[in-house]
Amino acid sequence: MRFKGLDLNLLVALDALLEEASVTRAAERLYLSQPAASAALARLREWFGDPLLSAHGKRMVPTPYALRLKPMLKSVLTELDVLVGQPTNFSPETEQRRVRVCTADYITSVALAPLSLRLAELAPGIALEVVPPDDNAGGLLDRGEIDLLIVPAEWASLDHPVRPLLEEHHVVAGWNRNPLFQREGAIDKAAFTAAGHVTVRIGRLSRLSFAEAQLRAGGITRREEVVVPGFAQVPPLLVGTQRLAVMHARLAQDAARHYPIAFAPLPFAMPPMRETVQYHRARANDPVLLWLLDRLDEAVSERDRQNPVPFAA
């Protein structure tokens, strides 16, 4: 297929070449031979009048012109993908699609798990693929590599639609035989700060979670005894210890069904966390995603109806 004389397949090749910065790796990604990928690069160079990739020692480096093309290329390919993938008559019962969702394991537990039950009944052909949060999750959304991004409102991209999902507050959790949970009365701030803690850092750059950022902003320091990359890893590290952890109330409630842990209100104020869902602006009218988001809202509402959130304001 050509547009103004340009073979549109070459745009897919250019995307792979710029992403991989290697003809060999781009060929593997495109399931082409290396000579075919080299020929595609030669045709692209001729069309754009620029080398696009320049050799620096043993490496290939995108030219300044190629770097300017890259975000526009991603946007065009994303919109083309939406265009050619748009169903003529959407029917949940017969739709066959894999939806990639980037989110933390906390959301997987409290929102995607109940959603998956609804999908098994209503749309068995729609599969969910969960991608762990990344420091460049917004970039994944920009490039169309994920369909949905579920993050706290503070981390949402300004470039794409934002839809509220749920409001969460936090609790302090620990082993149910921890003496702090055996005595009468709430855990006070002094006991909280004196205890060892299990904390969470997200992504390769160890970004602070919402709760950790709030604690630091409030000048509340603790002794971090264990640091983990995911929220679901926290409960087993509390069992049999005197450690504490700040946990999402819904996650603590669910974890207490599987681990001998207890939880209580925090001994200080913390604002609620507002989780949001985003999809690429080019997919604002995608009937599959819009239908799926409605089912996600229903799943969260039903989950909270059956298991009221503890200590909710």
Side-chain angles (χ1 to χ4, degrees):
M1 182 177 177
R2 293 181 178 275
F3 181 74
K4 294 187 177 181
L6 175 66
D7 182 351
L8 294 182
N9 289 317
L10 288 175
L11 294 181
V12 178
L14 179 58
D15 179 56
L17 287 162
L18 295 183
E19 281 294 318
E20 301 295 340
S22 163
V23 174
T24 300
R25 291 197 299 273
E28 293 173 352
R29 176 169 164 176
L30 296 167
Y31 300 100
L32 297 175
S33 66
Q34 186 167 338
S38 295
L41 178 58
R43 293 171 63 191
L44 286 161
R45 284 169 167 167
E46 180 180 0
W47 176 269
F48 288 106
D50 185 87
L52 299 176
L53 289 172
S54 299
H56 285 258
K58 295 183 179 180
R59 297 186 304 117
M60 299 286 281
V61 178
T63 65
Y65 179 74
L67 292 175
R68 293 201 305 272
L69 288 179
K70 194 172 181 180
M72 291 185 285
L73 177 64
K74 287 293 184 185
S75 178
V76 167
L77 290 176
T78 296
E79 294 191 16
L80 280 173
D81 182 58
V82 173
L83 177 65
V84 300
Q86 198 71 234
T88 52
N89 293 298
F90 168 58
S91 172
E93 297 82 3
T94 59
E95 181 69 23
Q96 297 292 317
R97 182 158 166 187
R98 180 177 297 273
V99 177
R100 301 189 82 219
V101 185
C102 180
T103 194
D105 55 2
Y106 146 68
I107 287 293
T108 301
S109 297
V110 305
L112 297 187
L115 172 64
S116 70
L117 296 177
R118 298 181 75 83
L119 291 181
E121 177 184 355
L122 301 175
I126 297 180
L128 297 177
E129 179 181 349
V130 181
V131 179
D134 186 272
D135 302 299
N136 189 34
L140 296 177
L141 186 63
D142 288 337
R143 296 191 297 271
E145 296 179 20
I146 55 175
D147 297 293
L148 298 174
L149 174 62
I150 306 179
V151 291
E154 292 78 4
W155 297 350
S157 168
L158 299 178
D159 298 326
H160 302 286
V162 179
R163 176 166 167 162
L165 175 61
L166 58 83
E167 187 172 281
E168 184 67 272
H169 65 280
H170 289 77
V171 297
V172 55
W175 184 33
N176 61 12
R177 293 171 62 183
N178 184 326
L180 290 176
F181 290 95
Q182 302 296 315
R183 66 187 188 184
E184 292 186 8
I187 297 174
D188 59 32
K189 187 174 179 180
F192 177 91
T193 56
H197 281 252
V198 180
T199 61
V200 177
R201 297 287 187 277
I202 301 168
R204 293 188 303 272
L205 299 182
S206 295
R207 181 169 59 179
L208 297 178
S209 67
F210 173 89
E212 293 299 320
Q214 293 297 322
L215 290 170
R216 291 200 179 187
I220 299 172
T221 59
R222 297 151 300 149
R223 191 173 71 255
E224 295 182 315
E225 292 187 349
V226 183
V227 179
V228 293
F231 300 103
Q233 296 171 336
V234 172
L237 293 168
L238 299 174
V239 177
T241 77
Q242 306 303 303
R243 301 179 189 124
L244 299 178
V246 176
M247 292 185 65
H248 310 89
R250 288 178 177 86
L251 185 60
Q253 181 186 50
D254 290 350
R257 299 190 185 95
H258 306 285
Y259 296 96
I261 65 169
F263 50 91
L266 290 171
F268 44 79
M270 180 181 288
M273 180 179 70
R274 294 177 174 85
E275 287 281 351
T276 60
V277 187
Q278 290 198 278
Y279 45 87
H280 197 284
R281 58 184 179 275
R283 294 177 175 166
N285 296 315
D286 185 327
V288 177
L289 292 186
L290 295 178
W291 179 87
L292 188 67
L293 290 176
D294 287 342
R295 303 295 80 73
L296 179 60
D297 288 340
E298 292 172 0
V300 172
S301 296
E302 179 63 16
R303 182 254 175 237
D304 290 348
R305 187 189 67 79
Q306 294 183 1
N307 301 284
V309 182
F311 311 127

